[in-house]
Amino acid sequence: LAFWPELQQSPAPRFVFSSNIIEHDLTYQSKEDVRLKVTATSINKDNTKTEVEVGDQSGESRTLTYYNKTAKQLKELAEKELDNFRFTGFRGSFTTFGEPFVNHGDRIELVDANVPDRNGFYIVEEVERSFGFNGYRQKIEIATKV
C-alpha cells in the first residue's frame, strides 16, 4: 500500500443496522465477559516443544505458535495476545447486499443508530458470497475490533 497512499486513506465500507444489514447473529459483549484461553507453543531448535497456557481454562481456546522462545517469553506473548483477543464490541456475522464489496482482512465500520456507543471498526474474518432470487448477498464474519 505504500505505493498507493490514497488506498490507505480510503474510507472503510459502512454497514448500518436496519439499513444495509439484512440479517445478523451479532452479539455485543463487554471485554470483562469474554472468557478465553490462549495456548502458546514454541518449536525449539532441537525440535522439542515448550507450551504455556494463560487465561480462563474453561474459555474459548486460541492457539499461537512461535519458534525458539523460552517459557517466560511465551507467557509474555500469550498474555499480550490475550489482551488483544478480549475487546468490547460485536462478535458474529451478518448478511448484507453485494455492495460495498468486502474481502477477508478488510476494515469495515458497523453503525448502530439506536445505540451509538456500539459503533466501531472491525476486521473481516470471512466472506461468503451468494447469488440467487434474492440477489447478490455477502455473509460477513467479523474478527477483532480495531
Side-chain angles (χ1 to χ4, degrees):
L1 290 175
F3 299 112
W4 297 285
E6 64 275 2
L7 290 179
Q8 293 175 340
Q9 303 302 323
S10 63
R14 176 181 257 205
F15 297 97
V16 182
F17 289 92
S18 301
S19 177
N20 63 348
I21 295 179
I22 300 167
E23 60 184 11
H24 69 87
D25 66 357
L26 296 169
T27 56
Y28 192 82
Q29 295 179 330
S30 69
K31 182 177 186 173
E32 295 78 28
D33 295 336
V34 177
R35 298 175 51 90
L36 287 172
K37 174 179 77 170
V38 174
T39 303
T41 304
S42 174
I43 309 298
N44 302 315
K45 287 182 181 179
D46 61 358
N47 210 23
T48 59
K49 290 183 182 180
T50 305
E51 191 171 277
V52 172
E53 289 184 354
V54 297
D56 302 315
Q57 293 303 312
S58 62
E60 187 178 328
S61 182
R62 298 278 197 269
T63 303
L64 307 170
T65 305
Y66 298 96
Y67 179 70
N68 205 30
K69 300 288 183 192
T70 65
K72 182 181 176 186
Q73 291 171 319
L74 280 177
K75 185 174 181 181
E76 290 171 1
L77 290 166
E79 287 174 348
K80 181 179 176 185
E81 289 302 318
L82 184 62
D83 286 339
N84 291 337
F85 289 135
R86 288 183 177 155
F87 63 90
T88 298
F90 287 106
R91 287 168 174 73
S93 63
F94 63 93
T95 302
T96 186
F97 302 104
E99 292 292 328
F101 189 80
V102 174
N103 286 308
H104 166 79
D106 285 354
R107 182 180 67 118
I108 63 166
E109 182 180 12
L110 286 179
V111 177
D112 186 344
N114 296 328
V115 187
D117 290 344
R118 293 182 172 190
N119 297 351
F121 293 90
Y122 295 83
I123 299 297
V124 174
E125 177 74 22
E126 181 179 343
V127 181
E128 292 178 22
R129 293 183 179 78
S130 62
F131 302 88
F133 290 113
N134 293 328
Y136 176 29
R137 301 281 195 256
Q138 298 178 97
K139 182 176 180 185
I140 299 171
E141 184 176 332
I142 58 173
T144 57
K145 187 174 183 181
V146 291

